[in-house]
Amino acid sequence: MFVKHYDVDENHIDFQGVVDGLYYPFYMEWTRHAFMREALGIDIEEEFKQGKLYMVLEYSLRFRKSLVKGDNVEVTCALEKNDKRNRVNFVQQIKVNDVVYADATFVATCLSNGRPSMPEAVLNALAP
């Protein structure tokens, strides 16, 4: 399981003293991008220069607990096979002290010359 740690940014705290819900996907995005670069060897910025566009098609996110100022979050990321051939699921959680605060599934693809495709590194990571 790929993991990144972040301190909650005080700028993400809303008037109620908790992290505004719109920031949870950002912590997950930072971790997904790091996962792709560090675990899969895919630099999406370099790939973009070569005409490959990595994109999230949809996601579902479940909030379980509220993050607050001072929290150090652990964000996980793992790949899961999608029912559709040219898509992949990124399964992620935000945890604090091993307690799940949010979980999500992001469905993504890569467009290469305008056509959906799946990079070899992703296929290899999904192989049993």
Side-chain angles (χ1 to χ4, degrees), residues 16 18-19 22 36 38 46 52 72 74 80 83 88 93 100 103 111 117 127:
Q16 300 174 92
V18 299
V19 171
L22 74 95
M36 291 179 71
E38 296 171 26
E46 285 301 315
K52 294 180 182 175
N72 177 273
E74 174 183 284
E80 181 181 83
D83 292 336
V88 66
Q93 291 184 323
V100 176
D103 52 35
L111 293 180
S117 65

Side-chain angles (χ1 to χ4, degrees), residues 24 28 60-65 100-104:
Y24 287 63
M28 291 178 173
S60 63
L61 172 64
R62 182 176 29 233
F63 298 97
R64 296 180 179 273
K65 292 183 66 97
V100 176
Y101 278 54
D103 52 35

Side-chain angles (χ1 to χ4, degrees), residues 33 36-37 40-49 54:
H33 289 187
M36 291 179 71
R37 186 176 51 258
L40 301 179
I42 298 172
D43 182 331
I44 62 175
E45 291 181 31
E46 285 301 315
E47 295 274 297
F48 177 75
K49 293 175 186 174
Y54 290 81

Side-chain angles (χ1 to χ4, degrees), residues 2 4 6 25-45 54-56 77 90 92:
F2 185 84
K4 282 291 190 186
Y6 305 99
F26 283 104
Y27 292 100
M28 291 178 173
E29 178 181 282
W30 300 336
T31 302
R32 257 191 335 279
H33 289 187
F35 172 75
M36 291 179 71
R37 186 176 51 258
E38 296 171 26
L40 301 179
I42 298 172
D43 182 331
I44 62 175
E45 291 181 31
Y54 290 81
M55 58 192 306
V56 170
C77 187
F90 289 88
Q92 297 189 259

Side-chain angles (χ1 to χ4, degrees), residues 33 50 95:
H33 289 187
Q50 298 171 16
K95 299 178 183 179

Side-chain angles (χ1 to χ4, degrees), residues 100-118:
V100 176
Y101 278 54
D103 52 35
T105 300
F106 291 81
V107 179
T109 192
C110 174
L111 293 180
S112 182
N113 298 318
R115 300 186 61 90
S117 65
M118 199 50 49

